[in-house]
Amino acid sequence: MSSPETRSSQTEEPIVRLRNVSKEFPGVLAVDGVNLEIKPGEVHVIAGENGAGKSTLMKLLSQVERPTSGEIWISGEKARFHGPRHAQALGVAMVYQEFALAPDLSVAENLFLGREPARAGLVNRREERNRARELLERVGLDINPNRLVSSLTVAEQQRVEIAKALAIQAKILILDEPTATLAEKEIESLFEVIRDLKSHGIAILYISHRLDEIFRIADRVTVMRDGRIVDTLPVGELDEDKLVRMMVGRDIENLYPKAEAEIGDVVLRVEGITRGDVLKDCSFEVRAGEILGFAGLVGAGRTELARAVFGADPIDSGRIELDGREIRIKSPQAAIDAGIGYLTEDRKGEGLALQLGVDKNITLATLPAWAGLVNLKAERETAQHRSDQLNIRTPSIRRRVQMLSGGNQQKVVVAKWLETNAKVLFFDEPARGIDVGAKAEMFSLIGDLAKEGRAIVLISSYLPELLNMCDRILVMHEGQVAGVLSREEFSEERIVALATGAKEAAA
Amino acid sequence: MSSTATTTRERVPSALRERLSDAVSQLAAAGALIVIFIFLSIVSPAFLTANNLFNVGVQISVTAIIAVGMTMVIITAGIDLSVGSVAALSGVAGALTMVNMGFPTILGILAGVVIGAVAGAVNGFWVTVADLPPFIATLGMLTAAQGLVFVISNGVAVFGAPSSFRLLGQGAVGPVPIPIIALIVVALAGYFVLSRTKLGRYSYAIGSNPEAARLSGIPVKRYLMIVYIISGALAGFGGMIAASQVNSGQPNYGIGLELYVIASAVIGGASLFGGRGTVAGTLIGAFLIALIQDGSVLLGINTFYQQIIIGIVVWLAVYWDQLRRKKLQAESE
């Protein structure tokens, strides 16, 4: 913190200045007359709901998209549009949510892809490795640069992306929802790296949905809505309520409307589920009307446990009881027949058939058919009914789910599982990638389902979600159940202690 | 909660627009088909005659029948490279059952279809049980079936099937040749299966997202197996029609046929990434190819040029389809 560059004065020339920038897609004004200045050494958060124009704004800055009008100044010079490579040359680096790494190349090769240290076309591998080591050190990553990117964890790959930005000597680093796939511990360590970069005068443009993070990392916050900037404020002048109001444009009373549900008998009892090294002797039970949370670090086995119960992955041993009767689940099909549903964490990759319509996705698990013939009328009615019930905003139930917003896509997945009449529903990160308004709606829906007497398991990496929504929280650590907390025992410290395997947690 | 009136007003044009844009992907090929049709009607007096048009239909019937099965396979994000050699295998083996084993015509034809289905099941086995990529699984069958044809025929055409066997490829009901009737029946069945049955729906779902399909309780492997069996059976049926057209099982038949079959489906809007494709589109693709071939003959254009033209049509059709999809995607963001 005491290096000479540390104090970048706030009066300095901005690194990036946007003047009245607009971007129009056919029929949509995605970014509308935006004026914005980013100063060196600041963490500038862009907040806003999905569709607010954040991503488009980032694409304009990184020159993936050409602005329809307006000027972009970088380092005091007016930038001409020449595509992403040109933006990089100007010092603008972007880390996307889906990383742009080549999985089958090594870390070092990825870091210098397209600008290998070379002479006469021959890559100097030793220099490449040495420079890679330096860069990795700067982002706090202690790994062999010869390792293949595909062998790294998501958090490590993200660091490689950041190191790549350092390799091109970026002056401004754009991070698009960088914590979406990270666990709490990894988030803190990412923030350390960000603070270090900041102290070296690099500006960080940070897109996020998570309110708590904004207050932890931001210097200034710009809120966008409907393509326009609502306001830019120092973080000290904001609180959570004010921020949400600015983002949504209206008051949201409660993000986690937990309905009081009557808790009944045990519906699902799981005993001693074991699967290789991934799951070790996991047991739990969940009652009718109850919301049971699964907490833990990424990779602790929460998703794996849900998938094992759902029959998506084979298990080595273990017993599953539903309504007091033992059942054998060998496939998702068997689980669905028994009354268990699982809403995957990766909505697009595992939950939806994106090219099919809303209607066909809703009936995917319960296609009304007789002798192999689909009853199209019954299907249409079912889909329309669920679509109205869950308030899925789509111009038509035939619309491809690809075209819907994240929140509405998630509702389509929920509609599919409601249709199966499942008694037990696993929600795996149901709020990931959907905006604040849709989140409140999703949690209210989960509360209602519990109230109807369904047993709910809620998997989340975001503790406030679990602390507010759950009746009990099961904490996992390295494939084992580290503990189960009842509502009176809830505390962030306790959960983190159990999740990280700290000994005193047991006490 | 907007008023009902607004919601309905929003609903109608958008739904209509989406339906149209789905149809338009076929209209591009359909438009080309109509343009070529009109062009040929004007420049060649021999074109617009019942005789020539039936001829075009008969010429393309085998390709189009097999392409219906291929469309299903492509919708599941698969591919069946073996249809050409499976057609040859069925033609030769089917002919042998009649010539050597004394099968009556109907049973002989059925035997050809069953042999194709078995070949399809073997493809299905490699794709589902052994989890090989469809390209590799069916590439193996392409070679293996070709070899098998030569083994069982010693490389010699199989003549001597009962004379009634000719009816399948050369007969007619009234003025309409039987291969065209066969095509109509297969196409209608294919359309029905894809739009009205679980098999069809699940094919689209599997092609669009196999993991989502599995986690929704769909027995993915079973349905994939069925789809490959259907493709094999239709290849077998096509092979029997082709054999009947030349009165013999030809071991050299079907080399390169798979390319025309795949081209038909792709020109007709089927996506090799799965999840998209229709029988109507595939038929349009097949007839576009047929008109290019027929037109070349009528206008005396060298056969090699028609192959070049078909290649260009494949490029343009798929390129156009991609442009359209990118535009849709940009609008949704």
Side-chain angles (χ1 to χ4, degrees):
Chain A
M1 286 299 261
S2 57
S3 59
E5 313 97 306
T6 301
R7 248 340 329 129
S8 50
S9 86
Q10 295 291 305
T11 54
E12 223 175 302
E13 179 71 10
I15 289 188
V16 169
R17 179 183 288 152
L18 302 185
R19 275 194 191 157
N20 210 10
V21 170
S22 297
K23 174 70 189 178
E24 197 178 347
F25 290 113
V28 201
L29 196 54
V31 169
D32 185 2
V34 162
N35 290 293
L36 185 66
E37 289 185 354
I38 312 287
K39 296 170 189 166
E42 76 163 335
V43 176
H44 195 123
V45 169
I46 308 282
E49 297 207 289
N50 282 340
K54 294 171 302 191
S55 298
T56 309
L57 188 67
M58 301 307 110
K59 284 183 186 160
L60 293 175
L61 251 183
S62 53
Q63 301 208 354
V64 173
E65 297 279 358
R66 181 195 294 269
T68 315
S69 65
E71 295 172 357
I72 297 177
W73 294 65
I74 296 172
S75 303
E77 273 179 61
K78 190 172 160 185
R80 294 205 301 175
F81 184 86
H82 285 302
R85 226 183 134 83
H86 178 64
Q88 288 181 5
L90 293 176
V92 180
M94 168 115 192
V95 176
Y96 290 95
Q97 275 180 65
E98 278 109 36
F99 304 137
L101 297 171
D104 295 325
L105 297 185
S106 75
V107 171
E109 283 164 340
N110 266 283
L111 284 176
F112 300 107
L113 201 59
R115 53 185 80 77
E116 291 82 359
R119 187 169 295 152
L122 286 178
V123 177
N124 183 340
R125 299 192 62 122
R126 184 184 301 161
E127 195 191 331
E128 187 176 77
R129 257 198 315 277
N130 290 340
R131 278 170 55 187
R133 273 211 188 85
E134 282 167 36
L135 289 169
L136 292 174
E137 204 174 310
R138 282 187 66 192
V139 296
L141 199 55
D142 180 24
I143 55 167
N144 184 339
N146 286 335
R147 272 177 66 183
L148 293 188
V149 161
S150 57
S151 74
L152 305 181
T153 67
V154 172
E156 287 168 339
Q157 292 187 20
Q158 185 178 53
R159 294 300 170 77
V160 173
E161 279 278 11
I162 296 175
K164 223 168 116 185
L166 297 179
I168 62 163
Q169 282 163 355
K171 293 179 198 139
I172 175 165
L173 177 62
I174 306 172
L175 299 172
D176 188 4
E177 299 214 31
T179 57
T181 47
L182 301 186
E184 184 51 39
K185 213 172 156 187
E186 297 162 337
I187 292 175
E188 188 43 49
S189 126
L190 172 69
F191 284 178
E192 270 165 39
V193 171
I194 289 179
R195 287 186 201 109
D196 180 62
L197 297 177
K198 180 178 140 171
S199 74
H200 286 84
I202 296 176
I204 313 281
L205 199 56
Y206 189 108
I207 305 179
S208 183
H209 271 126
R210 292 191 178 178
L211 300 178
D212 64 321
E213 275 174 31
I214 296 178
F215 291 99
R216 274 163 72 188
I217 194 74
D219 296 313
R220 290 200 299 160
V221 180
T222 292
V223 178
M224 289 189 75
R225 194 170 69 227
D226 301 329
R228 289 193 206 99
I229 286 186
V230 180
D231 206 351
T232 299
L233 291 171
V235 73
E237 292 175 26
L238 281 168
D239 59 38
E240 207 162 291
D241 283 344
K242 187 170 177 191
L243 189 55
V244 169
R245 219 171 318 128
M246 285 167 74
M247 283 162 69
V248 184
R250 64 190 149 89
D251 286 316
I252 288 192
E253 282 148 29
N254 187 354
L255 261 181
Y256 307 107
K258 164 93 169 104
E260 283 313 315
E262 201 171 308
I263 293 179
D265 294 335
V266 171
V267 179
L268 175 73
R269 175 173 284 133
V270 171
E271 279 170 18
I273 294 246
T274 298
R275 184 187 144 219
D277 287 337
V278 184
L279 295 172
K280 289 166 242 165
D281 196 23
C282 295
S283 304
F284 69 92
E285 56 183 42
V286 55
R287 294 167 175 272
E290 185 183 39
I291 302 180
L292 173 69
F294 277 12
L297 302 180
V298 168
R302 296 168 301 167
T303 294
E304 289 74 9
L305 182 53
R307 287 177 61 99
V309 174
F310 185 63
D313 301 320
I315 56 173
D316 302 334
S317 59
R319 258 172 69 88
I320 298 170
E321 264 179 30
L322 199 72
D323 289 332
R325 271 204 313 272
E326 181 173 2
I327 50 169
R328 306 196 134 269
I329 295 177
K330 291 216 162 130
S331 66
Q333 210 182 346
I336 292 167
D337 290 344
I340 301 175
Y342 171 55
L343 288 81
T344 56
E345 108 189 88
D346 179 1
R347 194 165 53 232
K348 289 186 184 172
E350 300 179 334
L352 291 166
L354 288 170
Q355 286 137 334
L356 302 192
V358 171
D359 50 354
K360 292 175 183 172
N361 271 283
I362 290 178
T363 56
L364 201 55
T366 51
L367 195 57
W370 182 80
L373 295 186
V374 180
N375 183 340
L376 292 175
K377 184 159 169 277
E379 172 177 46
R380 205 163 44 241
E381 284 166 2
T382 303
Q384 190 64 56
H385 164 69
R386 291 293 179 193
S387 171
D388 293 343
Q389 181 195 6
L390 298 182
N391 194 15
I392 296 174
R393 279 176 285 274
T394 171
S396 141
I397 54 166
R398 289 174 44 100
R399 195 173 188 84
R400 289 192 195 147
V401 288
Q402 204 169 17
M403 319 274 284
L404 304 187
S405 72
N408 281 306
Q409 288 183 345
Q410 188 69 299
K411 284 188 196 168
V412 172
V413 179
V414 174
K416 173 174 79 181
W417 290 108
L418 289 188
E419 203 46 48
T420 65
N421 279 321
K423 294 176 210 147
V424 185
L425 279 171
F426 287 82
F427 285 85
D428 199 346
E429 304 281 3
R432 173 170 295 167
I434 65 181
D435 56 41
V436 180
K439 257 181 212 174
E441 224 176 324
M442 183 57 57
F443 285 121
S444 139
L445 180 68
I446 291 174
D448 289 346
L449 292 174
K451 219 170 168 180
E452 284 173 16
R454 298 186 211 239
I456 309 281
V457 174
L458 175 62
I459 304 177
S460 173
S461 293
Y462 187 47
L463 288 181
E465 282 174 16
L466 294 176
L467 294 170
N468 283 292
M469 290 301 298
C470 297
D471 299 296
R472 288 185 302 137
I473 296 177
L474 176 153
V475 188
M476 292 195 72
H477 173 62
E478 291 183 350
Q480 281 173 310
V481 177
V484 181
L485 304 175
S486 59
R487 213 167 164 82
E488 311 80 69
E489 301 169 308
F490 280 5
S491 82
E492 291 212 18
E493 295 72 33
R494 242 191 180 130
I495 293 173
V496 170
L498 284 169
T500 51
K503 280 280 178 289
E504 63 271 32
Chain B
M1 293 295 123
S2 52
S3 72
T4 340
T6 359
T7 18
T8 3
R9 214 178 303 139
E10 277 174 62
R11 185 169 293 159
V12 175
S14 295
L16 189 67
R17 217 186 83 191
E18 227 154 87
R19 246 187 243 221
L20 277 178
S21 80
D22 269 355
V24 163
S25 71
Q26 292 158 19
L27 286 182
L33 187 69
I34 292 166
V35 168
I36 294 181
F37 192 93
I38 293 172
F39 173 75
L40 290 176
S41 308
I42 295 168
V43 297
S44 168
F47 175 74
L48 201 56
T49 58
N51 203 7
N52 182 54
L53 291 183
F54 278 136
N55 214 355
V56 170
V58 172
Q59 289 282 326
I60 202 65
S61 58
V62 173
T63 307
I65 284 171
I66 300 175
V68 170
M70 183 69 78
T71 305
M72 293 189 69
V73 173
I74 290 178
I75 285 170
T76 66
I79 192 86
D80 187 350
L81 297 178
S82 69
V83 289
S85 58
V86 168
L89 176 64
S90 287
V92 169
L96 281 174
T97 61
M98 292 181 272
V99 178
N100 288 355
M101 298 163 73
F103 276 34
T105 303
I106 293 287
L107 275 187
I109 294 170
L110 201 63
V113 175
V114 169
I115 288 163
V118 170
V122 174
N123 283 331
F125 167 84
W126 287 109
V127 171
T128 60
V129 182
D131 217 12
L132 290 190
F135 189 97
I136 303 299
T138 58
L139 182 65
M141 179 57 74
L142 167 81
T143 315
Q146 219 163 48
L148 192 56
V149 174
F150 282 90
V151 170
I152 59 175
S153 67
N154 288 318
V156 189
V158 180
F159 286 95
S163 59
S164 59
F165 177 54
R166 287 180 201 193
L167 279 177
L168 179 63
Q170 301 174 39
V173 176
V176 188
I178 287 177
I180 293 182
I181 294 172
L183 170 58
I184 292 170
V185 171
V186 168
L188 285 177
Y191 170 78
F192 183 77
V193 165
L194 279 176
S195 59
R196 296 293 160 88
T197 67
K198 272 174 125 166
L199 172 61
R201 174 64 55 81
Y202 290 167
S203 297
Y204 284 106
I206 291 167
S208 183
N209 190 338
E211 188 60 8
R214 188 176 82 96
L215 294 179
S216 296
I218 296 170
V220 172
K221 296 194 166 184
R222 188 194 310 162
Y223 279 98
L224 280 180
M225 179 61 105
I226 294 173
V227 166
Y228 281 94
I229 290 175
I230 290 174
S231 177
L234 287 176
F237 186 46
M240 292 313 290
I241 294 175
S244 163
Q245 282 170 344
V246 292
N247 254 337
S248 58
Q250 294 285 345
N252 283 313
Y253 176 75
I255 294 169
L257 177 66
E258 63 277 357
L259 301 179
Y260 287 98
V261 171
I262 294 168
S264 301
V266 166
I267 291 172
S271 161
L272 291 177
F273 297 108
R276 291 157 36 87
T278 58
V279 169
T282 298
L283 288 188
I284 289 170
F287 274 92
L288 192 56
I289 292 175
L291 282 197
I292 292 168
Q293 289 174 336
D294 185 56
S296 306
V297 173
L298 290 178
L299 301 177
I301 298 171
N302 185 320
T303 4
F304 301 129
Y305 284 109
Q306 37 160 297
Q307 285 177 315
I308 295 174
I309 296 170
I310 292 168
I312 292 171
V313 169
V314 169
W315 281 332
L316 291 181
V318 177
Y319 177 65
W320 198 84
D321 195 41
Q322 256 180 19
L323 278 188
R324 192 186 64 92
R325 243 179 306 158
K326 275 187 192 151
K327 197 170 153 250
L328 270 181
Q329 232 159 29
E331 277 173 19
S332 75
E333 268 171 12

